[in-house]
Amino acid sequence: MDCKIVTIPGDGIGPEIVREACKVLDQVGKVYGHTFSYTEVLMGGCSIDAYGVPLTEEALNKAKQSDAVLLGAVGGNVGNSRWYDVAPNLRPEAGLLAIRKGLNLFANIRPAYLYKELADACPLKKEIIGDGFDMVIMRELTGGLYFGERHTEEVNGVRQATDTLTYNENEIRRIAVKAFDIAMKRSKHVISVDKANVLDSSRLWRKVVEEVAKDYPEVRIEHMLVDNCAMQLVMNPGQFDVILTENMFGDILSDEASMITGSIGMLSSASLNEGKFGMYEPSHGSAPDIAGKDIANPIATILSAAMMLRYSFDLDKEADAMEAAVQQVLTDGYRTVDIMSEGCKKVGTTQMGDLIVTYIK
Ligand code: NAD
């Protein structure tokens, strides 16, 4: 298979971690007979420096013409950088919003997986962790409260602010289809999270999810209220396979789920459009505090590249090999500084990438 990938290294540690992910992809290509070709584009602070804007039309068009995008991270030191002395739409992070919108990426997937070897970093008690957890959160990314009508007014001398939460059935259906498709590649269990006891939008959400579920008889579907889900994540995280939810609930629940894994340098993410196209990036930011020191953990980006193989290219075997290689380096005791613990071997960014390459079989 020939895959055209646009890489966006971005700022801070971005270039260091994207380089390692490409190294691992190239090894997968060598072992399994695929070609990954890369076109690098600028986004974020580096694009502001070069072109005066965080994302150029040309960069966006190159991304549109690719099969998938691999992103490092954008942004600098918010309190101390010239990139932030400008209007919000010219700051580095505006590039992110523009590319998500420009590529119509409405489905955000964030896995939360607990590696046995890193269980000490998990803030939950051992009896709650049990055999660990392995879930993905499928969050709707372009609708709901964050994109609804909003205004602030004064009514009879009292200030009042209004935000509106709207979903139509098409928006719900397309994200539900994504969640069920992904459940078919996993343990075939979807928990749809809403607030159907209060909100009309949630009642419609539940109905449409039930309709979609009829097309996936192998997938077990349950509904859970969002307040209960927030509790269940810290009481019994092992029960979740795919959590399907709307924008704001997903924003909050995905941060909660990532916290219980304990290590930000390990968490991948993907944002998908209606078809197979996606943008893949680590969940963390550009970590300007450690940029250029060869100490950043490249694993979140490498696991994001594995998601790219699975969801954009349907290369499940190859994605499994990448995930197994990450598992093996951890089992063998190699750690970057952010996940270091006693008795383990400390390695830098480049060495971690090299080790993962050697484990791709
Ligand atoms: P951050 O995720 O960059 O860093 C938080 C802490 O985690 C830092 O101490 C950092 O050193 C550490 N860290 C992050 N990734 C790591 C890795 N791979 N290995 C080891 N340690 C790691 O969050 P922040 O400091 O709040 O933000 C820094 C910049 O990143 C800001 O400009 C912010 O806007 C931007 N940001 C970008 C994205 C994105 O591009 N998607 C996401 C979040 C934040």
Side-chain angles (χ1 to χ4, degrees):
M1 192 173 192
D2 290 332
C3 309
K4 286 194 298 207
I5 299 170
V6 154
T7 57
I8 307 182
D11 307 313
I13 60 171
E16 300 166 60
I17 53 182
V18 167
R19 188 171 54 234
E20 298 313 309
C22 293
K23 214 154 81 179
V24 179
L25 279 173
D26 288 339
Q27 178 66 8
V28 169
K30 229 185 265 170
V31 173
Y32 291 89
H34 307 296
T35 311
F36 301 110
S37 55
Y38 309 102
T39 304
E40 189 175 306
V41 306
L42 300 183
M43 187 171 90
C46 55
S47 175
I48 295 173
D49 288 345
Y51 307 114
V53 288
L55 181 72
T56 61
E57 274 300 314
E58 193 192 344
L60 179 60
N61 284 334
K62 282 188 180 158
K64 280 183 184 165
Q65 284 151 23
S66 71
D67 298 322
V69 175
L70 181 64
L71 167 66
V74 298
N77 196 329
V78 179
N80 178 26
S81 164
R82 65 189 179 289
W83 295 333
Y84 295 92
D85 287 339
V86 291
N89 66 328
L90 291 176
R91 291 177 190 165
E93 290 75 7
L96 263 181
L97 299 182
I99 200 167
R100 284 181 186 147
K101 192 162 171 238
L103 298 175
N104 196 21
L105 304 173
F106 67 87
N108 181 242
I109 317 174
R110 267 168 68 169
Y113 177 77
L114 186 71
Y115 288 91
K116 231 181 27 255
E117 292 81 358
L118 304 181
D120 283 348
C122 173
L124 303 178
K125 287 183 185 155
K126 283 203 167 52
E127 56 268 33
I128 287 177
I129 298 173
D131 293 332
F133 50 86
D134 176 2
M135 70 184 94
V136 300
I137 299 195
M138 173 65 76
R139 165 189 170 195
E140 202 290 326
L141 205 56
T142 56
L145 199 60
Y146 298 171
F147 289 84
E149 286 286 310
R150 72 188 83 238
H151 64 270
T152 304
E153 62 194 330
E154 203 168 294
V155 180
N156 298 330
V158 178
R159 282 172 298 163
Q160 173 174 299
T162 306
D163 296 284
T164 52
L165 199 181
T166 306
Y167 270 110
N168 69 43
E169 60 179 311
N170 298 332
E171 290 171 308
I172 302 169
R173 189 168 293 109
R174 66 182 186 174
I175 187 82
V177 165
K178 285 277 178 210
F180 280 89
D181 282 347
I182 276 164
M184 288 297 290
K185 284 179 177 264
R186 296 174 45 92
S187 302
K188 300 190 172 73
H189 182 201
V190 171
I191 295 186
S192 174
V193 174
D194 61 37
K195 188 72 182 167
N197 52 343
V198 179
L199 302 175
D200 264 31
S201 55
S202 282
R203 281 193 279 271
L204 180 63
W205 182 277
R206 213 175 256 220
K207 272 191 201 131
V208 176
V209 169
E210 279 295 332
E211 288 163 17
V212 172
K214 291 197 180 101
D215 294 332
Y216 296 84
E218 286 174 62
V219 177
R220 187 154 61 92
I221 171 74
E222 282 179 68
H223 301 277
M224 191 178 272
L225 295 175
V226 61
D227 37 351
N228 185 26
C229 183
M231 289 194 291
Q232 294 297 328
L233 275 171
V234 291
M235 272 167 44
N236 181 12
Q239 71 185 290
F240 295 104
D241 176 26
V242 177
I243 293 179
L244 162 64
T245 193
E246 60 95 77
N247 202 344
M248 183 179 62
F249 298 159
D251 188 9
I252 299 165
L253 294 175
S254 61
D255 268 17
E256 185 186 2
S258 63
M259 270 316 295
I260 59 173
T261 69
S263 36
I264 189 155
M266 303 290 297
L267 296 169
S268 53
S269 88
S271 303
L272 306 178
N273 76 0
E274 203 113 21
K276 287 275 171 200
F277 185 87
M279 183 165 83
Y280 299 83
E281 58 180 307
S283 294
H284 58 72
S286 60
D289 52 330
I290 58 167
K293 296 184 177 160
D294 195 39
I295 58 172
N297 187 347
I299 291 180
T301 317
I302 291 168
L303 292 174
S304 303
M307 288 178 85
M308 174 191 294
L309 298 186
R310 197 180 298 287
Y311 298 128
S312 280
F313 304 144
D314 276 325
L315 297 175
D316 287 338
K317 190 164 50 102
E318 291 79 349
D320 288 347
M322 275 175 94
E323 289 166 4
V326 167
Q327 174 68 65
Q328 195 60 49
V329 286
L330 296 176
T331 305
D332 289 354
Y334 296 104
R335 303 281 189 274
T336 44
V337 65
D338 56 309
I339 51 173
M340 184 62 193
S341 59
E342 224 183 301
C344 292
K345 293 162 265 195
K346 190 153 87 181
V347 295
T349 312
T350 317
Q351 202 184 346
M352 182 55 98
D354 289 343
L355 283 162
I356 293 171
V357 163
T358 64
Y359 287 120
I360 299 286
K361 301 274 163 43

PDB file of all heavy atoms in Angstrom, residues 13 73-76 78 84 93 96 100 264-265 281 283-290 295-297 338, ligand 1:
ATOM      1  N   ILE A  13       8.244  20.467  21.278  1.00  0.00           N
ATOM      2  CA  ILE A  13       8.750  19.098  21.089  1.00  0.00           C
ATOM      3  C   ILE A  13       8.188  18.445  19.823  1.00  0.00           C
ATOM      4  O   ILE A  13       8.590  17.330  19.471  1.00  0.00           O
ATOM      5  CB  ILE A  13       8.423  18.186  22.306  1.00  0.00           C
ATOM      6  CG1 ILE A  13       6.899  18.094  22.530  1.00  0.00           C
ATOM      7  CG2 ILE A  13       9.156  18.651  23.550  1.00  0.00           C
ATOM      8  CD1 ILE A  13       6.504  17.045  23.570  1.00  0.00           C
ATOM      9  N   ALA A  73       2.515  18.994  17.744  1.00  0.00           N
ATOM     10  CA  ALA A  73       1.742  19.897  18.613  1.00  0.00           C
ATOM     11  C   ALA A  73       2.115  21.313  18.233  1.00  0.00           C
ATOM     12  O   ALA A  73       3.192  21.549  17.672  1.00  0.00           O
ATOM     13  CB  ALA A  73       2.073  19.642  20.085  1.00  0.00           C
ATOM     14  N   VAL A  74       1.218  22.241  18.538  1.00  0.00           N
ATOM     15  CA  VAL A  74       1.531  23.642  18.235  1.00  0.00           C
ATOM     16  C   VAL A  74       1.436  24.487  19.505  1.00  0.00           C
ATOM     17  O   VAL A  74       0.800  24.101  20.472  1.00  0.00           O
ATOM     18  CB  VAL A  74       0.583  24.232  17.159  1.00  0.00           C
ATOM     19  CG1 VAL A  74       0.725  23.492  15.845  1.00  0.00           C
ATOM     20  CG2 VAL A  74      -0.857  24.241  17.639  1.00  0.00           C
ATOM     21  N   GLY A  75       2.090  25.639  19.453  1.00  0.00           N
ATOM     22  CA  GLY A  75       1.990  26.569  20.581  1.00  0.00           C
ATOM     23  C   GLY A  75       3.309  26.739  21.297  1.00  0.00           C
ATOM     24  O   GLY A  75       4.208  25.908  21.195  1.00  0.00           O
ATOM     25  N   GLY A  76       3.400  27.869  21.995  1.00  0.00           N
ATOM     26  CA  GLY A  76       4.622  28.147  22.739  1.00  0.00           C
ATOM     27  C   GLY A  76       4.294  28.430  24.188  1.00  0.00           C
ATOM     28  O   GLY A  76       3.219  28.073  24.677  1.00  0.00           O
ATOM     29  N   VAL A  78       2.782  30.315  26.697  1.00  0.00           N
ATOM     30  CA  VAL A  78       1.679  31.269  26.540  1.00  0.00           C
ATOM     31  C   VAL A  78       1.971  32.610  27.224  1.00  0.00           C
ATOM     32  O   VAL A  78       1.670  33.668  26.692  1.00  0.00           O
ATOM     33  CB  VAL A  78       0.357  30.658  27.072  1.00  0.00           C
ATOM     34  CG1 VAL A  78      -0.787  31.653  26.934  1.00  0.00           C
ATOM     35  CG2 VAL A  78       0.032  29.375  26.303  1.00  0.00           C
ATOM     36  N   TYR A  84       1.742  35.315  21.161  1.00  0.00           N
ATOM     37  CA  TYR A  84       0.472  35.541  21.865  1.00  0.00           C
ATOM     38  C   TYR A  84       0.119  37.019  22.025  1.00  0.00           C
ATOM     39  O   TYR A  84      -0.898  37.347  22.614  1.00  0.00           O
ATOM     40  CB  TYR A  84       0.482  34.811  23.220  1.00  0.00           C
ATOM     41  CG  TYR A  84       0.541  33.321  23.008  1.00  0.00           C
ATOM     42  CD1 TYR A  84       1.765  32.654  22.965  1.00  0.00           C
ATOM     43  CD2 TYR A  84      -0.611  32.580  22.763  1.00  0.00           C
ATOM     44  CE1 TYR A  84       1.838  31.300  22.698  1.00  0.00           C
ATOM     45  CE2 TYR A  84      -0.555  31.227  22.497  1.00  0.00           C
ATOM     46  CZ  TYR A  84       0.673  30.586  22.461  1.00  0.00           C
ATOM     47  OH  TYR A  84       0.729  29.241  22.186  1.00  0.00           O
ATOM     48  N   GLU A  93      -2.638  28.285  18.239  1.00  0.00           N
ATOM     49  CA  GLU A  93      -3.713  27.301  18.381  1.00  0.00           C
ATOM     50  C   GLU A  93      -4.859  27.541  17.402  1.00  0.00           C
ATOM     51  O   GLU A  93      -5.667  26.637  17.143  1.00  0.00           O
ATOM     52  CB  GLU A  93      -4.251  27.284  19.823  1.00  0.00           C
ATOM     53  CG  GLU A  93      -3.287  26.708  20.849  1.00  0.00           C
ATOM     54  CD  GLU A  93      -2.146  27.647  21.216  1.00  0.00           C
ATOM     55  OE1 GLU A  93      -2.150  28.816  20.772  1.00  0.00           O
ATOM     56  OE2 GLU A  93      -1.230  27.212  21.949  1.00  0.00           O
ATOM     57  N   LEU A  96      -4.952  25.073  14.697  1.00  0.00           N
ATOM     58  CA  LEU A  96      -5.591  23.788  15.013  1.00  0.00           C
ATOM     59  C   LEU A  96      -7.082  23.827  14.702  1.00  0.00           C
ATOM     60  O   LEU A  96      -7.618  22.921  14.064  1.00  0.00           O
ATOM     61  CB  LEU A  96      -5.466  23.528  16.514  1.00  0.00           C
ATOM     62  CG  LEU A  96      -4.361  22.649  17.031  1.00  0.00           C
ATOM     63  CD1 LEU A  96      -4.478  22.534  18.533  1.00  0.00           C
ATOM     64  CD2 LEU A  96      -4.445  21.265  16.387  1.00  0.00           C
ATOM     65  N   ARG A 100      -9.010  21.679  11.752  1.00  0.00           N
ATOM     66  CA  ARG A 100     -10.104  20.747  12.095  1.00  0.00           C
ATOM     67  C   ARG A 100     -11.350  21.093  11.294  1.00  0.00           C
ATOM     68  O   ARG A 100     -12.034  20.227  10.765  1.00  0.00           O
ATOM     69  CB  ARG A 100     -10.420  20.826  13.593  1.00  0.00           C
ATOM     70  CG  ARG A 100      -9.394  20.101  14.433  1.00  0.00           C
ATOM     71  CD  ARG A 100      -9.734  20.170  15.906  1.00  0.00           C
ATOM     72  NE  ARG A 100      -8.657  19.587  16.696  1.00  0.00           N
ATOM     73  CZ  ARG A 100      -8.311  19.986  17.900  1.00  0.00           C
ATOM     74  NH1 ARG A 100      -8.962  20.968  18.491  1.00  0.00           N
ATOM     75  NH2 ARG A 100      -7.320  19.406  18.548  1.00  0.00           N
ATOM     76  N   ILE A 264       0.611  11.589  30.604  1.00  0.00           N
ATOM     77  CA  ILE A 264       0.182  12.352  29.431  1.00  0.00           C
ATOM     78  C   ILE A 264       1.027  12.045  28.187  1.00  0.00           C
ATOM     79  O   ILE A 264       0.541  12.102  27.064  1.00  0.00           O
ATOM     80  CB  ILE A 264       0.173  13.865  29.747  1.00  0.00           C
ATOM     81  CG1 ILE A 264      -0.494  14.648  28.609  1.00  0.00           C
ATOM     82  CG2 ILE A 264       1.556  14.425  30.012  1.00  0.00           C
ATOM     83  CD1 ILE A 264      -1.070  15.957  29.021  1.00  0.00           C
ATOM     84  N   GLY A 265       2.278  11.667  28.389  1.00  0.00           N
ATOM     85  CA  GLY A 265       3.165  11.383  27.259  1.00  0.00           C
ATOM     86  C   GLY A 265       2.834  10.089  26.530  1.00  0.00           C
ATOM     87  O   GLY A 265       3.474   9.732  25.548  1.00  0.00           O
ATOM     88  N   GLU A 281      -2.775  12.838  16.388  1.00  0.00           N
ATOM     89  CA  GLU A 281      -1.875  13.681  17.192  1.00  0.00           C
ATOM     90  C   GLU A 281      -1.858  13.198  18.643  1.00  0.00           C
ATOM     91  O   GLU A 281      -2.834  12.604  19.117  1.00  0.00           O
ATOM     92  CB  GLU A 281      -2.363  15.136  17.162  1.00  0.00           C
ATOM     93  CG  GLU A 281      -3.775  15.301  17.666  1.00  0.00           C
ATOM     94  CD  GLU A 281      -4.291  16.740  17.639  1.00  0.00           C
ATOM     95  OE1 GLU A 281      -3.607  17.608  18.185  1.00  0.00           O
ATOM     96  OE2 GLU A 281      -5.383  16.957  17.092  1.00  0.00           O
ATOM     97  N   SER A 283      -2.204  13.569  22.688  1.00  0.00           N
ATOM     98  CA  SER A 283      -3.152  14.376  23.465  1.00  0.00           C
ATOM     99  C   SER A 283      -2.469  15.543  24.165  1.00  0.00           C
ATOM    100  O   SER A 283      -3.127  16.481  24.590  1.00  0.00           O
ATOM    101  CB  SER A 283      -3.851  13.512  24.514  1.00  0.00           C
ATOM    102  OG  SER A 283      -4.656  12.564  23.879  1.00  0.00           O
ATOM    103  N   HIS A 284      -1.138  15.464  24.302  1.00  0.00           N
ATOM    104  CA  HIS A 284      -0.446  16.537  25.036  1.00  0.00           C
ATOM    105  C   HIS A 284      -0.125  17.709  24.121  1.00  0.00           C
ATOM    106  O   HIS A 284      -0.340  17.653  22.904  1.00  0.00           O
ATOM    107  CB  HIS A 284       0.832  15.995  25.687  1.00  0.00           C
ATOM    108  CG  HIS A 284       1.799  15.382  24.710  1.00  0.00           C
ATOM    109  ND1 HIS A 284       2.532  16.128  23.826  1.00  0.00           N
ATOM    110  CD2 HIS A 284       2.143  14.081  24.473  1.00  0.00           C
ATOM    111  CE1 HIS A 284       3.301  15.330  23.105  1.00  0.00           C
ATOM    112  NE2 HIS A 284       3.068  14.079  23.459  1.00  0.00           N
ATOM    113  N   GLY A 285       0.414  18.778  24.699  1.00  0.00           N
ATOM    114  CA  GLY A 285       0.763  19.968  23.935  1.00  0.00           C
ATOM    115  C   GLY A 285       2.217  19.966  23.489  1.00  0.00           C
ATOM    116  O   GLY A 285       2.864  18.902  23.430  1.00  0.00           O
ATOM    117  N   SER A 286       2.739  21.155  23.208  1.00  0.00           N
ATOM    118  CA  SER A 286       4.067  21.271  22.604  1.00  0.00           C
ATOM    119  C   SER A 286       5.199  21.298  23.636  1.00  0.00           C
ATOM    120  O   SER A 286       6.368  21.382  23.258  1.00  0.00           O
ATOM    121  CB  SER A 286       4.129  22.537  21.756  1.00  0.00           C
ATOM    122  OG  SER A 286       3.877  23.655  22.590  1.00  0.00           O
ATOM    123  N   ALA A 287       4.844  21.233  24.919  1.00  0.00           N
ATOM    124  CA  ALA A 287       5.826  21.143  26.014  1.00  0.00           C
ATOM    125  C   ALA A 287       7.068  22.008  25.780  1.00  0.00           C
ATOM    126  O   ALA A 287       8.189  21.479  25.741  1.00  0.00           O
ATOM    127  CB  ALA A 287       6.211  19.669  26.233  1.00  0.00           C
ATOM    128  N   PRO A 288       6.898  23.326  25.653  1.00  0.00           N
ATOM    129  CA  PRO A 288       8.078  24.173  25.367  1.00  0.00           C
ATOM    130  C   PRO A 288       9.146  24.083  26.449  1.00  0.00           C
ATOM    131  O   PRO A 288      10.327  24.310  26.164  1.00  0.00           O
ATOM    132  CB  PRO A 288       7.499  25.595  25.282  1.00  0.00           C
ATOM    133  CG  PRO A 288       6.090  25.532  25.739  1.00  0.00           C
ATOM    134  CD  PRO A 288       5.639  24.116  25.709  1.00  0.00           C
ATOM    135  N   ASP A 289       8.740  23.696  27.663  1.00  0.00           N
ATOM    136  CA  ASP A 289       9.714  23.603  28.767  1.00  0.00           C
ATOM    137  C   ASP A 289      10.773  22.537  28.535  1.00  0.00           C
ATOM    138  O   ASP A 289      11.866  22.604  29.105  1.00  0.00           O
ATOM    139  CB  ASP A 289       8.987  23.364  30.121  1.00  0.00           C
ATOM    140  CG  ASP A 289       8.016  22.182  30.086  1.00  0.00           C
ATOM    141  OD1 ASP A 289       7.444  21.894  29.004  1.00  0.00           O
ATOM    142  OD2 ASP A 289       7.823  21.542  31.137  1.00  0.00           O
ATOM    143  N   ILE A 290      10.476  21.536  27.700  1.00  0.00           N
ATOM    144  CA  ILE A 290      11.471  20.465  27.496  1.00  0.00           C
ATOM    145  C   ILE A 290      11.900  20.348  26.026  1.00  0.00           C
ATOM    146  O   ILE A 290      12.580  19.394  25.657  1.00  0.00           O
ATOM    147  CB  ILE A 290      10.935  19.094  28.006  1.00  0.00           C
ATOM    148  CG1 ILE A 290       9.628  18.722  27.294  1.00  0.00           C
ATOM    149  CG2 ILE A 290      10.761  19.111  29.518  1.00  0.00           C
ATOM    150  CD1 ILE A 290       9.228  17.258  27.526  1.00  0.00           C
ATOM    151  N   ILE A 295      14.371  14.738  25.533  1.00  0.00           N
ATOM    152  CA  ILE A 295      13.816  13.997  26.681  1.00  0.00           C
ATOM    153  C   ILE A 295      12.312  13.763  26.559  1.00  0.00           C
ATOM    154  O   ILE A 295      11.716  13.065  27.371  1.00  0.00           O
ATOM    155  CB  ILE A 295      14.118  14.693  28.040  1.00  0.00           C
ATOM    156  CG1 ILE A 295      13.557  16.124  28.059  1.00  0.00           C
ATOM    157  CG2 ILE A 295      15.598  14.662  28.375  1.00  0.00           C
ATOM    158  CD1 ILE A 295      13.660  16.788  29.443  1.00  0.00           C
ATOM    159  N   ALA A 296      11.669  14.346  25.531  1.00  0.00           N
ATOM    160  CA  ALA A 296      10.214  14.180  25.391  1.00  0.00           C
ATOM    161  C   ALA A 296       9.874  12.717  25.105  1.00  0.00           C
ATOM    162  O   ALA A 296      10.624  12.012  24.428  1.00  0.00           O
ATOM    163  CB  ALA A 296       9.702  15.052  24.249  1.00  0.00           C
ATOM    164  N   ASN A 297       8.737  12.293  25.610  1.00  0.00           N
ATOM    165  CA  ASN A 297       8.263  10.937  25.356  1.00  0.00           C
ATOM    166  C   ASN A 297       7.576  10.896  23.982  1.00  0.00           C
ATOM    167  O   ASN A 297       6.573  11.563  23.778  1.00  0.00           O
ATOM    168  CB  ASN A 297       7.255  10.567  26.460  1.00  0.00           C
ATOM    169  CG  ASN A 297       6.824   9.124  26.384  1.00  0.00           C
ATOM    170  OD1 ASN A 297       7.075   8.453  25.382  1.00  0.00           O
ATOM    171  ND2 ASN A 297       6.177   8.652  27.428  1.00  0.00           N
ATOM    172  N   ASP A 338       9.512  11.222  31.900  1.00  0.00           N
ATOM    173  CA  ASP A 338       8.163  11.475  32.432  1.00  0.00           C
ATOM    174  C   ASP A 338       7.512  10.225  33.010  1.00  0.00           C
ATOM    175  O   ASP A 338       6.591  10.330  33.828  1.00  0.00           O
ATOM    176  CB  ASP A 338       7.257  12.061  31.326  1.00  0.00           C
ATOM    177  CG  ASP A 338       7.207  11.159  30.099  1.00  0.00           C
ATOM    178  OD1 ASP A 338       8.272  10.773  29.608  1.00  0.00           O
ATOM    179  OD2 ASP A 338       6.091  10.834  29.643  1.00  0.00           O
TER     180      ASP A 338
HETATM  181  P1  NAD B   1       1.733  20.381  27.581  1.00  0.00           P
HETATM  182  O1  NAD B   1       0.949  19.146  27.350  1.00  0.00           O
HETATM  183  O2  NAD B   1       2.547  20.873  26.450  1.00  0.00           O
HETATM  184  O3  NAD B   1       2.704  20.175  28.835  1.00  0.00           O
HETATM  185  C1  NAD B   1       2.233  19.875  30.145  1.00  0.00           C
HETATM  186  C2  NAD B   1       3.364  19.195  30.936  1.00  0.00           C
HETATM  187  O4  NAD B   1       3.527  17.862  30.446  1.00  0.00           O
HETATM  188  C3  NAD B   1       4.707  19.878  30.775  1.00  0.00           C
HETATM  189  O5  NAD B   1       5.422  19.791  31.983  1.00  0.00           O
HETATM  190  C4  NAD B   1       5.430  19.077  29.712  1.00  0.00           C
HETATM  191  O6  NAD B   1       6.837  19.103  29.822  1.00  0.00           O
HETATM  192  C5  NAD B   1       4.858  17.677  29.961  1.00  0.00           C
HETATM  193  N1  NAD B   1       4.779  16.901  28.717  1.00  0.00           N
HETATM  194  C6  NAD B   1       3.878  17.076  27.706  1.00  0.00           C
HETATM  195  N2  NAD B   1       4.113  16.206  26.723  1.00  0.00           N
HETATM  196  C7  NAD B   1       5.172  15.470  27.104  1.00  0.00           C
HETATM  197  C8  NAD B   1       5.904  14.406  26.505  1.00  0.00           C
HETATM  198  N3  NAD B   1       5.595  13.914  25.299  1.00  0.00           N
HETATM  199  N4  NAD B   1       6.938  13.882  27.180  1.00  0.00           N
HETATM  200  C9  NAD B   1       7.276  14.339  28.387  1.00  0.00           C
HETATM  201  N5  NAD B   1       6.635  15.332  29.021  1.00  0.00           N
HETATM  202  C10 NAD B   1       5.584  15.896  28.383  1.00  0.00           C
HETATM  203  O7  NAD B   1       0.679  21.489  28.056  1.00  0.00           O
HETATM  204  P2  NAD B   1       0.909  23.041  28.350  1.00  0.00           P
HETATM  205  O8  NAD B   1       2.217  23.267  29.017  1.00  0.00           O
HETATM  206  O9  NAD B   1      -0.340  23.476  29.004  1.00  0.00           O
HETATM  207  O10 NAD B   1       0.937  23.723  26.915  1.00  0.00           O
HETATM  208  C11 NAD B   1       2.132  24.056  26.216  1.00  0.00           C
HETATM  209  C12 NAD B   1       1.757  24.587  24.836  1.00  0.00           C
HETATM  210  O11 NAD B   1       1.096  23.558  24.077  1.00  0.00           O
HETATM  211  C13 NAD B   1       0.745  25.747  24.876  1.00  0.00           C
HETATM  212  O12 NAD B   1       1.127  26.685  23.909  1.00  0.00           O
HETATM  213  C14 NAD B   1      -0.573  25.107  24.539  1.00  0.00           C
HETATM  214  O13 NAD B   1      -1.483  25.998  23.978  1.00  0.00           O
HETATM  215  C15 NAD B   1      -0.136  24.062  23.548  1.00  0.00           C
HETATM  216  N6  NAD B   1      -1.052  22.938  23.366  1.00  0.00           N
HETATM  217  C16 NAD B   1      -1.145  22.424  22.109  1.00  0.00           C
HETATM  218  C17 NAD B   1      -1.942  21.336  21.884  1.00  0.00           C
HETATM  219  C18 NAD B   1      -2.001  20.783  20.484  1.00  0.00           C
HETATM  220  O14 NAD B   1      -1.193  21.158  19.659  1.00  0.00           O
HETATM  221  N7  NAD B   1      -2.917  19.891  20.193  1.00  0.00           N
HETATM  222  C19 NAD B   1      -2.635  20.720  22.925  1.00  0.00           C
HETATM  223  C20 NAD B   1      -2.486  21.236  24.212  1.00  0.00           C
HETATM  224  C21 NAD B   1      -1.672  22.345  24.425  1.00  0.00           C
END
